Amino acid sequence: MLRERYHIYLLACLVIACSFTIAGRANPGFLNKDNPGYNHHLINNYADTIRGVVKNELGKAIAGATVRNKNSGLTVLTGDDGDFAIAGNAGDNIEITAENYFIYQAAIFNNTTAAFNIVLTPKLIVDKEEIAMPVGAINRNRITGSYDIIYNNELVKSPVVDITNALSGRLAGLYTLQIGSVPGADKATMYSRGIAGPLVVIDGVPRDYTVINPNEIESVTLLKDALAANTYGMRSSNGVLLITTKKGVPGQRTISASAQYGIQKPTELPKFLDAFNYATLFNEALQNDGLAPLYTADDLQKYKTGSSPFTHPNVDWINTVLNNSSRFTRYNVDVSGGNKTTRYYLGLDNVNQSGIFTRDKNLSYNTTNDYKQFSVRSNVEMNLSESFRAYLNVFALVRDGLEPGVTASSLFSMITNAPNNTYPIKNPNGSYASVEKYGDNIMAATVGSGYRKIYNRNLYADVGLVKQLNKLLDGLYVSANASLNTDLTETINRSKTYATYQMLVSPANDTTYRQFGNNGVQSNSGAVPYQSRIAYWEVAAGYAKLLNKIHRVQAKLSVNNHAYSIDELLPLRYINYSLTANYTYNNKYTVEASATASTVNRFPTSKRTGLFPAIGLGWNISNESWFPQLSFLDQLRIKSSFGQTGLNTAGYFVYDQFYGSATGYGFGTSYTAAGGVTQLALANPNITWEKASKFNIGIESALFGNKMNLSVEYFNDTYFDILQTRGISIGLIGNTYPLENIGKNRYQGIDLGLQYQNKIGKLSYYAGIKMGTRDSKVLEMDEVNRKYAWMERTGLPVGQRFGYKALGLMTAKDIADNVATVEGYIAREGDIKYQDMNGDGIINRFDEVAIGTQKPLIYGGLQAGIEWKGIAFSFLLQGAQNRDVLITGNDGWEFIELSTEGAYSQAQQMHLDRWTPQTAATASYPRLSVGPNINNKISNSSYWLRSGNYLRLKNIELAYSLPNTLIRKIGLSSATFFVNGYNLVTFTKLKNLDPENPYISSYPNMKVTNFGLRIKL
């Protein structure tokens, strides 16, 4: 019933979007001035009026281009046909700029009165002049806050479902990690300035999903400092990610479509030992532990030769239950256009991903982890009058997921746990094989456990009104908008039990089978594990005006209310009162200020509102009259900001004391169980929001005829009132201590953006780098009294690991010298040797020191591209430096005890390089042991830290656009064939592990080779 209701909503959205039949001639409004690169020319024109026509390389008129007489300062815009007329005389210099084109500069030198034609050269990197910020659309040269932005043409190069994966390495100050590529659930973890995930705002409304078709996105902007982000009140400390979807523009209706087909493969899969090597190493580990070997020489020979596959199996479970590749397809259609009255954009998108698990095609149902999604987006804007505008944005998303009945995560755990010699796939009689101590069969679990379906429906509608009040005050406007969002997840459980059998062979060679489990019927149950509702409204008044040609003022006063409800919980409500103002004098000096009063209902009634102010200053030095006119320097600007932000991490009304059901107690002279009530975690009536004081300073410059753009920023942010549990605490109170606002951390670093683009003849090219650094320090924490200074956390990087410092592997001399060992452990050759910090001859908690790197994290991306006669090639290298990964447990250790019945986990190829008396000088792994080992198999050891540094070919694309002479014959505006790749090559010191996802028991990251076609009518 729920699914049917959402399908009706989708159909209604599609009907509404398609019902707009808009026709009309283009009437573009003011286009933003651009300032990228100069092309110098001489124009044969001398008269009181200079006339011309501006077109692009395809001969299409460019309307709204800015034509400026640099001598007189006069400025005009080109008309609908690209024509212009401007006063001028011999010797004058004319400059023509248009958004996303290189600057054209011409000198007038004779007295010809004929009009001239000007052809502007397009840029490969989109670089718009106006940026959508909380104060409104604003010229980038007037922004004093910290931000970075990318546009649609970069996003569409990545074949991804979740847009977060298209942002890696493309925004200065955004660090991402992708841990698993589960179809439909592959969202990357984002860190703004390497600290924490930013608030996601889509078309002005905070929303918690990022499954968006890249083709529907106009731009993505990262707001990083206090001034740029603090209008979001108690959700602003970690930055804000603004996603702006496409809107219609006046002009002829445009229809575009694309089709993509991709092949997905895991970036890395674990390399487990075959049966012979597993058994050999297991025997060795037993002998190291002073125990008798388990496998005889005959066993080893049969494993090696495969002569007895049922009694001595050798099953490569990775290749048995996982496909070599899976499929990715995407189809989308976009329609946009409009006229003076109405503008519209309609986007339809369909994605299909096949899972990596194998399936039994004889079954009438699918058991692999496939994923499908369909979405509709309709953005419509209408002028109700010359001064009154309304808009309606509707988006609907349907997502259908599938997985085996035992679940995908359980299957990967089973693969990690079951050695290749555990049992065959099937017994001689065709039944699924098993053994008592493992009690399962991975193939049976994959194809015989039924299936589970996950349905997700997301629907939102935004409606807004904007009224210009120029008659009251020129430049004044008021606006109001509201948004309703629903998100529902429904699960269908059609899993089933299955029987497995252990083959038993008697001394008389009689074969019998022992059964485990039963072949049950499929379940048929449903649940709604998650549903959320968002109600958002905002009213605002704004003012934007240029006064006396030198005073530019822009301000916005707004009030918004955001209520977020999950399941049956009481709503989480944010109310923000915000004032933002920007003043620029003569395009030289800018002062910007913002203040937000933010209220959250999760704090005590008298302590729910906080004030978050910020101020910024900007100075366009190159516009000063005294600034030298350097041929290589086109613009130089300094900006800085300081302010405070907030963050709500308090939880669910933790200032109130809650009580819950107890386990019961004895009552009476004879024990009689009785239920009871117990006090839950202690309340904190003084809890408040976390805060951050942020300082930012940066330099922006344009060089070499605006072909090169450079941005360098330094930030220093102090986070305080961080919620932490007291370190100085005792257990005598019999309860859990509450979170308190007692922590203080500092983060600092540098964001860098550098790009260069140019054109030589018919060859256009560009290169750029986006990177960031992040250093951190714990300034205050309620740290327990440490016996030694090396144990102290305060003053070290945030999240610093602590443990024993490994000094290599023990030698015979170390044993003879009686070096320090873990308390209670008898060391042997090949064990890990640790540094005895206090010299007491025992390795214990007093010897724990900071382990791993303490260097600043460095992350970012390098991209470059060329275009020549319709052929385009581009690539993006993305990576990170100075990061560690801890490889322990199933991810790194051998023969982990799974049960008391003698079941032990897999072993990997890395374990072949273990210590033995023969390999003592070269071994990279300690001596083997079975089960736990309190010296070697401990997580707080630097021995298991590995370098997580990597450089990855994140994206690469080769495209060919058919010539205009050809596509016009078939009625198209453009047609482009392309092939692109994602995560294709990774350079890292980690062996057989993905540096972003080095966890072998989780779903692997994927690399994609994708083929496609884009057409435009």
Side-chain angles (χ1 to χ4, degrees):
M1 187 66 183
L2 289 170
R3 292 196 303 275
E4 293 175 357
R5 198 159 55 220
Y6 274 86
H7 282 125
I8 293 172
Y9 290 157
L10 274 177
L11 182 60
C13 295
L14 182 60
V15 172
I16 292 172
C18 294
S19 64
F20 290 95
T21 306
I22 312 299
R25 180 173 175 78
N27 184 20
F30 178 78
L31 293 181
N32 305 317
K33 299 174 229 177
D34 208 355
N35 198 23
Y38 288 106
N39 290 323
H40 297 277
H41 301 271
L42 296 177
I43 295 177
N44 297 316
N45 209 321
Y46 170 62
D48 292 335
T49 302
I50 305 166
R51 302 179 186 278
V53 178
V54 181
K55 299 181 179 180
N56 63 19
E57 293 179 326
L58 300 178
K60 186 177 180 180
I62 300 177
T66 301
V67 182
R68 177 172 174 258
N69 187 324
K70 298 182 67 176
N71 297 79
S72 66
L74 292 176
T75 300
V76 297
L77 300 179
T78 58
D80 293 348
D81 297 322
D83 56 320
F84 70 90
I86 188 171
N89 296 288
D92 286 356
N93 289 290
I94 302 298
E95 182 181 85
I96 302 174
T97 61
E99 193 169 78
N100 297 324
Y101 290 89
F102 286 110
I103 286 178
Y104 186 104
Q105 183 168 279
I108 304 167
F109 71 95
N110 70 11
N111 60 356
T112 301
T113 58
F116 55 89
N117 292 320
I118 294 175
V119 178
L120 298 188
T121 301
K123 295 161 47 178
L124 293 181
I125 299 179
V126 176
D127 194 11
K128 295 187 178 182
E129 194 74 10
E130 286 198 354
I131 309 296
M133 300 292 282
V135 74
I138 186 171
N139 187 284
R140 61 183 179 181
N141 292 322
R142 296 171 50 223
I143 298 174
T144 61
S146 178
Y147 76 96
D148 197 11
I149 187 169
I150 58 171
Y151 295 95
N152 174 266
N153 64 323
E154 293 183 68
L155 299 173
V156 296
K157 294 178 181 179
S158 297
V160 298
V161 175
D162 197 293
I163 195 61
T164 56
N165 293 308
L167 304 180
S168 301
R170 298 189 186 275
L171 287 168
L174 185 69
Y175 173 53
T176 65
L177 277 178
Q178 186 179 10
I179 304 177
S181 295
V182 178
D186 60 349
K187 182 177 181 179
T189 302
M190 299 185 292
Y191 302 86
S192 176
R193 283 184 160 167
I195 301 171
L199 173 70
V200 176
V201 177
I202 303 174
D203 289 334
V205 179
R207 315 184 206 259
D208 59 355
Y209 69 91
T210 48
V211 180
I212 308 174
N213 178 12
N215 196 64
E216 297 176 357
I217 296 176
E218 179 67 29
S219 65
V220 178
T221 307
L222 178 65
L223 308 181
K224 298 180 279 187
D225 68 341
L227 183 61
N230 82 334
T231 55
Y232 294 93
M234 292 191 198
R235 290 178 290 179
S236 59
S237 284
N238 295 334
V240 179
L241 194 75
L242 300 179
I243 299 177
T244 302
T245 62
K246 290 182 178 179
K247 308 297 187 295
V249 294
Q252 185 177 357
R253 181 188 294 110
T254 299
I255 301 175
S256 59
S258 67
Q260 303 178 53
Y261 179 88
I263 300 171
Q264 304 175 125
K265 293 185 176 182
T267 56
E268 291 287 353
L269 286 172
K271 303 294 189 297
F272 294 122
L273 295 181
D274 60 25
F276 169 76
N277 280 303
Y278 180 91
T280 301
L281 265 60
F282 195 89
N283 276 352
E284 181 183 313
L286 289 172
Q287 291 175 320
N288 289 341
D289 293 340
L291 302 173
L294 176 65
Y295 301 102
T296 66
D298 182 61
D299 290 330
L300 296 177
Q301 183 65 20
K302 289 178 178 177
Y303 283 133
K304 187 173 185 178
T305 62
S307 58
S308 181
F310 294 109
T311 61
H312 292 75
N314 181 20
V315 182
D316 182 350
W317 289 111
I318 289 284
N319 290 323
T320 300
V321 300
L322 300 184
N323 295 319
N324 292 328
S325 63
S326 57
R327 185 187 69 255
F328 168 87
T329 62
R330 168 165 252 154
Y331 307 96
N332 64 267
V333 177
D334 302 326
V335 183
S336 65
N339 53 26
K340 292 181 179 180
T341 303
T342 308
R343 281 81 57 198
Y344 62 93
Y345 171 84
L346 171 66
L348 306 176
D349 181 49
N350 174 248
V351 174
N352 292 274
Q353 283 182 289
S354 63
I356 196 174
F357 294 112
T358 190
R359 58 170 297 191
D360 185 350
K361 295 183 179 179
N362 293 320
L363 295 175
S364 60
Y365 52 84
N366 189 2
T367 60
T368 191
N369 56 322
D370 288 352
Y371 170 79
K372 299 178 181 180
Q373 88 175 34
F374 177 76
S375 67
V376 180
R377 183 179 301 277
S378 170
N379 295 338
V380 179
E381 185 179 36
M382 302 181 67
N383 292 344
L384 304 179
S385 70
E386 291 185 357
S387 61
F388 197 16
R389 177 170 58 90
Y391 64 86
L392 172 65
N393 301 333
V394 178
F395 174 74
L397 174 67
V398 175
R399 307 168 68 199
D400 291 350
L402 187 69
E403 66 176 347
V406 297
T407 75
S409 58
S410 295
L411 274 177
F412 273 100
S413 295
M414 292 169 65
I415 294 171
T416 305
N417 289 335
N420 290 3
N421 70 338
T422 304
Y423 44 74
I425 301 174
K426 289 187 175 182
N427 292 307
N429 66 353
S431 63
Y432 285 114
S434 185
V435 293
E436 180 178 8
K437 60 185 178 181
Y438 287 92
D440 216 326
N441 181 289
I442 300 176
M443 177 60 81
T446 304
V447 302
S449 65
Y451 62 93
R452 297 173 187 264
K453 282 193 172 183
I454 303 175
Y455 301 99
N456 178 260
R457 308 293 182 258
N458 194 296
L459 174 68
Y460 79 67
D462 304 338
V463 60
L465 300 170
V466 181
K467 173 65 175 177
Q468 301 290 336
L469 300 176
N470 293 331
K471 293 182 179 179
L472 180 63
L473 178 64
D474 193 19
L476 181 66
Y477 69 91
V478 293
S479 65
N481 66 283
S483 177
L484 293 176
N485 303 253
T486 63
D487 188 2
L488 181 142
T489 298
E490 183 181 4
T491 60
I492 302 296
N493 178 10
R494 289 182 178 151
S495 62
K496 60 184 289 291
T497 59
Y498 49 91
T500 59
Y501 300 84
Q502 182 177 5
M503 184 178 71
L504 303 173
V505 181
S506 70
N509 209 29
D510 294 327
T511 300
T512 58
Y513 293 93
R514 180 182 178 185
Q515 181 175 338
F516 302 98
N518 296 291
N519 289 314
V521 296
Q522 280 187 277
S523 301
N524 190 11
S525 61
V528 181
Y530 177 84
Q531 55 182 329
S532 68
R533 299 161 300 281
I534 295 176
Y536 179 90
W537 60 260
E538 178 179 288
V539 293
Y543 178 76
K545 183 67 176 176
L546 176 63
L547 304 172
N548 297 328
K549 297 183 179 181
I550 59 173
H551 304 282
R552 187 172 291 278
V553 181
Q554 192 166 348
K556 183 179 180 181
L557 175 65
S558 65
V559 179
N560 60 63
N561 184 306
H562 184 195
Y564 184 29
S565 302
I566 299 178
D567 297 328
E568 75 284 355
L569 300 179
L570 294 174
L572 169 62
R573 189 180 303 276
Y574 293 89
I575 303 175
N576 293 326
Y577 303 84
S578 180
L579 173 63
T580 301
N582 182 291
Y583 169 74
T584 301
Y585 173 76
N586 202 24
N587 291 323
K588 296 180 184 178
Y589 317 110
T590 298
V591 179
E592 193 170 3
S594 177
T596 298
S598 184
T599 300
V600 179
N601 67 336
R602 294 292 170 88
F603 298 108
T605 306
S606 60
K607 303 175 183 179
R608 289 183 173 178
T609 302
L611 180 64
F612 306 100
I615 189 170
L617 300 173
W619 183 19
N620 198 334
I621 305 175
S622 55
N623 282 354
E624 295 286 358
S625 59
W626 49 263
F627 190 81
Q629 298 298 311
L630 304 174
S631 59
F632 65 89
L633 182 63
D634 304 294
Q635 184 186 47
L636 180 63
R637 184 170 177 264
I638 299 176
K639 64 179 184 179
S640 183
S641 69
F642 178 78
Q644 190 174 101
T645 58
L647 188 65
N648 167 36
T649 59
Y652 190 72
F653 299 101
V654 296
Y655 63 87
D656 273 338
Q657 184 63 58
F658 288 89
Y659 296 85
S661 299
T663 54
Y665 57 91
F667 183 78
T669 56
S670 62
Y671 184 82
T672 302
V677 175
T678 186
Q679 185 184 51
L680 301 182
L682 291 177
N684 179 5
N686 298 312
I687 196 166
T688 185
W689 49 90
E690 298 181 352
K691 307 170 185 68
S693 293
K694 298 189 171 188
F695 171 76
N696 191 86
I697 187 169
I699 297 176
E700 299 173 341
S701 65
L703 304 162
F704 309 116
N706 285 320
K707 296 182 179 70
M708 177 180 287
N709 292 281
L710 172 67
S711 174
V712 182
E713 296 184 9
Y714 166 78
F715 67 91
N716 191 315
D717 302 341
T718 300
Y719 286 65
F720 59 100
D721 283 347
I722 299 172
L723 286 171
Q724 296 175 347
T725 303
R726 289 193 176 274
I728 304 175
S729 58
I730 58 176
L732 294 179
I733 64 170
N735 204 338
T736 304
Y737 277 72
L739 291 172
E740 300 179 71
N741 299 96
I742 54 179
K744 186 176 183 180
N745 298 332
R746 185 187 68 205
Y747 300 89
Q748 60 181 339
I750 295 173
D751 293 341
L752 170 67
L754 174 66
Q755 68 180 34
Y756 180 86
Q757 56 181 327
N758 198 5
K759 185 172 185 178
I760 301 175
K762 294 186 179 297
L763 176 68
S764 298
Y765 62 95
Y766 70 91
I769 185 171
K770 296 289 183 72
M771 65 170 290
T773 70
R774 184 220 63 197
D775 196 10
S776 66
K777 185 177 183 180
V778 177
L779 301 179
E780 295 178 10
M781 62 181 293
D782 191 59
E783 188 169 9
V784 300
N785 295 322
R786 309 285 186 184
K787 188 175 182 178
Y788 301 104
W790 60 75
M791 300 171 62
E792 294 176 356
R793 274 66 170 168
T794 305
L796 294 180
V798 178
Q800 178 66 49
R801 287 189 174 95
F802 273 75
Y804 302 146
K805 183 178 180 180
L807 302 178
L809 301 179
M810 290 215 182
T811 64
K813 183 178 183 304
D814 293 325
I815 303 298
D817 292 343
N818 197 27
V819 298
T821 60
V822 171
E823 197 167 8
Y825 183 76
I826 300 175
R828 301 180 184 181
E829 287 186 67
D831 284 334
I832 301 174
K833 180 172 65 174
Y834 298 109
Q835 184 171 355
D836 184 9
M837 293 297 298
N838 60 1
D840 64 356
I842 298 174
I843 302 299
N844 57 20
R845 61 191 179 92
F846 297 117
D847 298 298
E848 291 191 357
V849 298
I851 58 176
T853 183
Q854 296 183 32
K855 297 178 181 179
L857 174 69
I858 302 173
Y859 56 92
L862 169 67
Q863 62 176 336
I866 60 173
E867 184 175 344
W868 178 74
K869 293 185 177 180
I871 301 173
F873 172 77
S874 65
F875 68 87
L876 170 67
L877 293 171
Q878 177 261 335
Q881 183 78 15
N882 299 333
R883 60 184 294 264
D884 305 313
V885 292
L886 187 65
I887 309 299
T888 60
N890 278 346
D891 300 319
W893 297 337
E894 82 287 4
F895 310 136
I896 295 175
E897 187 175 24
L898 303 176
S899 68
T900 57
E901 286 78 23
Y904 295 92
S905 69
Q906 287 267 25
Q908 302 178 54
Q909 286 187 6
M910 70 171 81
H911 300 135
L912 293 173
D913 196 28
R914 79 286 185 195
W915 180 95
T916 66
Q918 295 74 31
T919 64
T922 60
S924 63
Y925 194 88
R927 72 175 182 90
L928 301 177
S929 59
V930 173
N933 184 303
I934 62 172
N935 184 85
N936 297 339
K937 297 176 183 178
I938 54 176
S939 298
N940 58 333
S941 167
S942 67
Y943 198 89
W944 305 115
L945 281 177
R946 300 289 184 267
S947 169
N949 301 339
Y950 70 95
L951 180 66
R952 170 167 275 164
L953 183 59
K954 196 69 177 180
N955 179 241
I956 187 171
E957 181 174 86
L958 177 64
Y960 176 67
S961 298
L962 297 178
N964 292 319
T965 54
L966 175 61
I967 62 175
R968 287 173 181 170
K969 294 180 181 179
I970 56 178
L972 298 178
S973 175
S974 66
T976 302
F977 294 91
F978 62 89
V979 55
N980 53 39
Y982 179 78
N983 283 348
L984 290 187
V985 181
T986 303
F987 304 95
T988 178
K989 292 183 179 179
L990 289 173
K991 293 182 178 180
N992 303 324
L993 295 174
D994 186 290
E996 292 186 80
N997 182 26
Y999 312 110
I1000 63 173
S1001 56
S1002 66
Y1003 203 93
N1005 284 355
M1006 290 290 177
K1007 53 185 176 183
V1008 185
T1009 303
N1010 187 54
F1011 304 86
L1013 168 66
R1014 301 187 189 101
I1015 62 172
K1016 183 179 291 186
L1017 301 179

